[in-house]
Amino acid sequence: MSPKARLPVALSLSIAFVVAMLVSAAYLVWQDLDQLEKAVVQPILSSRSGLMVAAVVLACAVVVMVVKSLHDGLFALPGKLAEDAQLILSTEPSRRLEPVGSADLKALSRTINSFADQRDSLRKDVELRVQEAKHSVEEEKNRLAALMSELTQSVVVCNLDGRILLYNNRARLQFKAMSDAPQVAGGGELIGLGRSIYTVFERNLIVHALESLQHRLRKSAAQPVANFVTTTRAGQLLRAQMAPVLTAREEGERSLTGFILMLDNITRTFESETRRDQLLHSITEGNRAALANVRAAAEMLDYDDLEPALRLRFRKVIKDEVNAMSKRIDEAATAFTDTVKTRWPLEEMLGTDLIAAARRQLESRTKVPVKLEDVDEALWVRVDSFSMLMAVTYLGNRLSEEFEVREVRLRLTGAGRMAHLDLIWSGQAMSTETVMTWELEPMRIGDETSPLTVRDVIERHDGEIWLEREKTKHRAFFRILIPSAMPQQELENEAETYLRGESRPEYYDFDLFSVSEKGHALDDRLLSELTFTVFDTETTGLNPSEGDEIIQIGASRIVNGKLRRSESFEQLVDPCRRLAPESAQIHGITAEMLVGQPKIGEVLPAFHAFAADTVLVAHNAAFDMRFLQLKEAATGLKFDQPVLDTLLLSAVIHPNQESHRLEAIAERMGVHIIGRHTALGDAIVTGEVFLKIIPLLAEKGIRTMREAREAAEKTYYARIKY
């Protein structure tokens, strides 16, 4: 029983004891009196009964004060002192005790503070040595992280349970693009640390590939890999290569601890190759019969005695077959042009390099002098340089041939996400119809022809082209919009920041290779082994049963004992009801911010997928869970995973503390609060607090999920219902 629970019991027993003693004493004195004395005393006592009751109450009050003082000195203050000292030992080393209570307790507090100062000094020395020892390991991690981020191939590393322990940004973007779920919030991706690869691939497919790997390992293959092609649930075609993650035992045998998946999305390549095969088939097989008919008709025309009617008939056969062949070839050429356009790569290059190449090509192909003006030397662009140079050269060639332009100028300037590439000339004006004709005709420069048009090139770059005139300077120019890119210097700065570990995406965790014990039920798993989704909601009010709705959900994941802020979920929700203006003073969300946001029926499936296969954690979880449970019937989704509440767990580890509000717990444990009363901000604070609670629970013998839940259910706060 906690000291707070013992105090009412002690007071009740003390008061009952005092009353019993007074009644017993009065009874003994009364029995000792003779009849004459009783006759004299009874009127005196009767007239002073109120005074006697007041005396009894006063005596009880004195007893209460004495008992409370003794309780505080013997139980409450020492208990609080012990809890505060435990916080110094486990979660907040910089915290110091405030000397309160008796002289002995104050002396004890000062002694504990002295020990804490000495421990801090020793701890800092140890941390310095540990940091020096970890420096080389951290450098290796940073090199790997930088290498992974630069790979153009998607890479995912998993342990034997299929839990993702490493992936690069390319994989994250690829899986996000492949997801068939509505992308309503950040973090709604298929991939994440600690999540299962089986949300993307069929389990049997991975198991079969692993068996192939193990077979090759047993055969001592030089390069044990397994390859397969599969279709994702979103209909994408993936080519995967699986390689083993091996460890060496003492006797030198290799054992499999995980696997690496290197993935390529070949959907577009496969479709392109299929179209190309169909194209070749149409040209060969489609024209084979036509050629046979033409050959037969031509042979018949060689006969001089052929009747005129038959001669006309055979000539018509030749004409019809040739026209059909011509039509098929035209269709194949159009299809080939479309295939070529889908293969254009856009590469980042310095704008001055593009302008210099355009100048050289214009001067060599058209013999027209080229001058430069207003070229932004710091501007980077994303272009297919070959097709873009062809388009610029084609336009310059048409200007030279049809309008006898004898000089052109090139200009390149930035315009936010796009860049302006201008081809400028002086001379005769042209009509809009002429410009459109030039855009839509296949490009021809001298003897070189292309099935592509200027419009094809511009559309491939998601750009635009138009004609403008500068009347004051008596000249005109074609303005071509092309996408700009991040300057190389900024990329280098980002890389330096990445290597220093600042804002580095946490896409890897080297401690996840250990395989979980599949035979254990979740209740018997250690808290330190579980994966958690820490979440919070902001709502229109505090009464879910009376129609209040969720207006924001925020969450983050805890994987392998670390809060992964980079893997978060945050989404505003349209509550489809009026939002009280005074509520904005709490969470800062206004009615205007909710206009156009997705409704809860769209957001909840994404959050449900984000929290799959994890334990839910929240502060005052009963409140948030009630809002989710009320939406089960409408959405068909059930949040049936285990739930832990930091409010209840705080009461378990610190029963003597007066407050278990999130701010109070965070202050006690030295957790810095950022973004309070936003869903994601509160979720992150809750996650940091929860990570500090886990070792304190372990010190009380509470290590498993079952033990934590049972301990929480015994607290007073567990009785609160919503």
Side-chain angles (χ1 to χ4, degrees):
M1 186 181 296
S2 68
K4 280 191 175 182
R6 284 197 297 263
L7 179 58
V9 174
L11 291 175
S12 300
L13 291 175
S14 299
I15 292 172
F17 177 74
V18 170
V19 172
M21 290 296 294
L22 291 174
V23 170
S24 299
Y27 177 76
L28 291 174
V29 171
W30 181 260
Q31 290 298 323
D32 190 54
L33 297 177
D34 56 26
Q35 292 299 325
L36 183 60
E37 290 173 330
K38 288 180 180 180
V40 174
V41 172
Q42 186 172 5
I44 299 174
L45 294 177
S46 299
S47 62
R48 291 172 172 80
S49 57
L51 182 60
M52 292 174 63
V53 171
V56 172
V57 172
L58 180 60
C60 291
V62 171
V63 170
V64 168
M65 293 174 62
V66 171
V67 171
K68 187 177 184 309
S69 177
L70 289 173
H71 178 272
D72 290 342
L74 296 176
F75 296 103
L77 284 178
K80 189 174 184 303
L81 181 65
E83 290 176 359
D84 290 342
Q86 187 62 38
L87 282 174
I88 295 175
L89 180 64
S90 57
T91 62
E92 185 56 22
S94 61
R95 186 185 182 92
R96 292 296 178 266
L97 302 179
E98 181 182 355
V100 293
S102 65
D104 290 339
L105 285 178
K106 291 179 180 179
L108 180 59
S109 298
R110 287 191 288 268
T111 302
I112 292 174
N113 288 341
S114 298
F115 279 123
D117 291 337
Q118 293 179 17
R119 179 173 175 268
D120 265 0
S121 177
L122 293 173
R123 181 176 55 83
K124 289 176 182 177
D125 183 59
V126 171
E127 286 178 353
L128 179 62
R129 296 181 184 278
V130 170
Q131 281 298 117
E132 292 173 353
K134 288 174 58 179
H135 182 67
S136 60
V137 176
E138 192 65 28
E139 282 187 347
E140 293 298 325
K141 283 188 176 183
N142 287 333
R143 290 191 188 102
L144 176 60
L147 176 64
M148 292 286 291
S149 68
E150 294 300 322
L151 289 176
T152 58
Q153 193 175 33
S154 300
V155 178
V156 182
V157 182
C158 303
N159 62 16
L160 290 181
D161 282 342
R163 296 293 172 182
I164 297 170
L165 58 93
L166 183 152
Y167 63 96
N168 63 352
N169 192 53
R170 179 85 175 190
R172 183 182 66 84
L173 295 175
Q174 185 178 82
F175 282 112
K176 184 174 182 179
M178 293 191 313
S179 175
D180 56 356
Q183 297 295 321
V184 298
E189 298 91 350
L190 295 172
I191 194 171
L193 289 180
R195 302 187 74 176
S196 176
I197 194 66
Y198 302 127
T199 59
V200 182
F201 297 108
E202 292 295 333
R203 181 181 294 271
N204 291 337
L205 183 66
I206 299 295
V207 170
H208 177 72
L210 281 172
E211 290 174 352
S212 299
L213 274 184
Q214 291 170 332
H215 176 73
R216 288 178 170 87
L217 286 172
R218 286 192 294 269
K219 295 292 185 181
S220 300
Q223 293 182 330
V225 295
N227 297 284
F228 59 88
V229 176
T230 183
T231 303
T232 68
R233 292 165 186 172
Q236 300 289 317
L237 193 65
L238 288 185
R239 180 172 55 213
Q241 183 180 74
M242 178 185 286
V245 177
L246 301 173
T247 184
R249 296 179 181 173
E250 293 182 0
E251 58 270 23
E253 296 180 6
R254 297 183 298 174
S255 61
L256 190 66
T257 61
F259 56 89
I260 302 171
L261 290 175
M262 290 160 283
L263 308 170
D264 287 305
N265 190 334
I266 59 172
T267 306
R268 196 172 285 179
T269 303
F270 179 77
E271 292 172 352
S272 177
E273 291 176 353
T274 301
R275 286 196 300 269
R276 189 160 58 247
D277 292 342
Q278 292 171 347
L279 175 63
L280 291 173
H281 184 270
S282 66
I283 293 176
T284 55
E285 298 301 323
N287 290 332
R288 189 188 302 276
L291 285 171
N293 292 336
V294 170
R295 186 183 299 112
E299 289 175 353
M300 293 300 298
L301 290 175
D302 288 339
Y303 292 101
D304 295 333
D305 57 348
L306 191 67
E307 295 181 3
L310 287 175
R311 189 177 297 276
L312 285 174
R313 181 179 175 184
F314 285 128
R315 285 177 177 172
K316 186 176 185 303
V317 168
I318 293 174
K319 181 179 179 180
D320 291 344
E321 294 294 352
V322 168
N323 287 337
M325 291 171 60
S326 176
K327 182 179 179 181
R328 279 192 289 270
I329 290 173
D330 288 341
E331 292 174 349
T334 301
F336 174 74
T337 301
D338 294 337
T339 303
V340 169
K341 287 189 286 186
T342 61
R343 295 202 303 267
W344 287 345
L346 295 185
E347 301 291 343
E348 296 181 2
M349 65 183 302
L350 191 60
T352 54
D353 292 340
L354 178 66
I355 293 298
R359 183 180 189 178
R360 288 193 301 270
Q361 189 151 316
L362 276 168
E363 290 180 340
S364 64
R365 302 292 296 275
T366 67
K367 308 303 180 184
V368 175
V370 180
K371 294 184 178 180
L372 307 182
E373 66 174 58
D374 297 335
V375 176
D376 188 346
E377 296 184 354
L379 184 63
W380 284 73
V381 293
R382 288 188 72 247
V383 293
D384 167 39
S385 57
F386 176 77
S387 62
M388 183 57 65
L389 291 177
M390 179 182 289
V392 172
T393 305
Y394 164 76
L395 293 173
N397 188 61
R398 296 292 294 261
L399 288 171
S400 173
E401 289 182 348
E402 300 184 24
F403 289 88
E404 299 182 350
V405 171
R406 294 294 171 254
E407 179 186 276
V408 296
R409 293 172 179 264
L410 292 174
R411 178 170 61 199
L412 182 66
T413 55
R417 293 177 55 253
M418 305 298 286
H420 292 165
L421 172 59
D422 299 336
L423 178 65
I424 310 168
W425 73 93
S426 299
Q428 182 180 350
M430 68 173 67
S431 65
T432 304
E433 291 77 9
T434 301
V435 175
M436 185 170 295
T437 301
W438 289 10
E439 283 186 43
L440 300 179
E441 287 183 352
M443 292 186 288
R444 179 189 298 272
I445 306 172
D447 296 333
E448 182 181 342
T449 60
S450 170
L452 304 175
T453 67
V454 172
R455 174 54 53 187
D456 291 334
V457 176
I458 299 303
E459 288 180 351
R460 175 65 183 91
H461 289 79
D462 292 326
E464 193 55 75
I465 183 173
W466 65 83
L467 175 68
E468 285 195 25
R469 294 180 176 84
E470 295 180 340
K471 295 182 179 180
T472 56
K473 296 183 179 181
H474 304 287
R475 64 182 190 176
F477 60 88
F478 287 117
R479 169 153 289 175
I480 303 174
L481 282 184
I482 56 178
S484 61
M486 184 180 294
Q488 188 66 24
Q489 183 61 43
E490 292 185 24
L491 290 173
E492 292 172 357
N493 292 340
E494 280 198 352
E496 291 176 4
T497 300
Y498 190 86
L499 291 174
R500 288 196 304 268
E502 298 174 6
S503 303
R504 184 179 64 208
E506 295 179 344
Y507 295 151
Y508 66 92
D509 192 323
F510 299 95
D511 299 327
L512 286 172
F513 272 110
S514 58
V515 183
S516 65
E517 298 180 21
K518 295 182 180 179
H520 284 186
L522 194 61
D523 271 353
D524 296 326
R525 293 277 300 279
L526 296 175
L527 293 175
S528 56
E529 294 178 351
L530 294 172
T531 300
F532 303 93
T533 296
V534 192
F535 78 103
D536 184 66
T537 61
E538 298 297 336
T539 61
T540 58
L542 303 178
N543 299 302
S545 301
E546 297 178 10
D548 280 319
E549 297 283 349
I550 295 173
I551 58 174
Q552 188 181 39
I553 300 178
S556 190
R557 295 169 66 87
I558 293 177
V559 183
N560 198 38
K562 298 174 184 175
L563 183 65
R564 307 291 179 178
R565 300 192 185 203
S566 61
E567 296 190 15
S568 59
F569 183 101
E570 185 175 27
Q571 179 62 51
L572 292 171
V573 183
D574 182 358
C576 299
R577 60 165 290 172
R578 179 179 173 274
L579 180 66
E582 55 270 16
S583 65
Q585 299 176 2
I586 300 174
H587 44 60
I589 300 173
T590 62
E592 292 75 16
M593 295 169 62
L594 302 178
V595 174
Q597 297 294 337
K599 297 178 174 58
I600 193 66
E602 302 172 66
V603 176
L604 219 53
F607 176 62
H608 188 270
F610 180 81
D613 299 324
T614 66
V615 176
L616 292 177
V617 177
H619 189 78
N620 194 11
F623 176 80
D624 300 288
M625 290 304 299
R626 182 59 177 159
F627 277 94
L628 298 182
Q629 290 163 358
L630 288 174
K631 296 300 177 184
E632 288 180 358
T635 62
L637 299 171
K638 190 174 182 63
F639 290 85
D640 53 2
Q641 58 260 67
V643 181
L644 290 178
D645 190 340
T646 51
L647 172 67
L648 306 184
L649 296 178
S650 174
V652 170
I653 60 173
H654 294 148
N656 295 296
Q657 299 296 329
E658 295 180 358
S659 175
H660 296 286
R661 293 181 303 110
L662 185 58
E663 294 94 336
I665 303 172
E667 182 181 359
R668 281 199 297 270
M669 297 188 171
V671 174
H672 185 53
I673 296 178
I674 300 177
R676 183 73 172 102
H677 292 304
T678 65
L680 183 58
D682 283 358
I684 288 174
V685 173
T686 302
E688 296 284 6
V689 164
F690 179 68
L691 286 174
K692 296 204 172 188
I693 285 177
I694 290 176
L696 296 177
L697 290 171
E699 291 177 3
K700 289 182 171 289
I702 302 170
R703 294 181 173 84
T704 66
M705 180 69 203
R706 185 200 310 276
E707 291 167 345
R709 188 182 64 248
E710 291 176 351
E713 289 173 352
K714 294 176 182 177
T715 64
Y716 165 77
Y717 297 97
R719 304 171 194 167
I720 299 176
K721 304 295 181 183
Y722 288 93

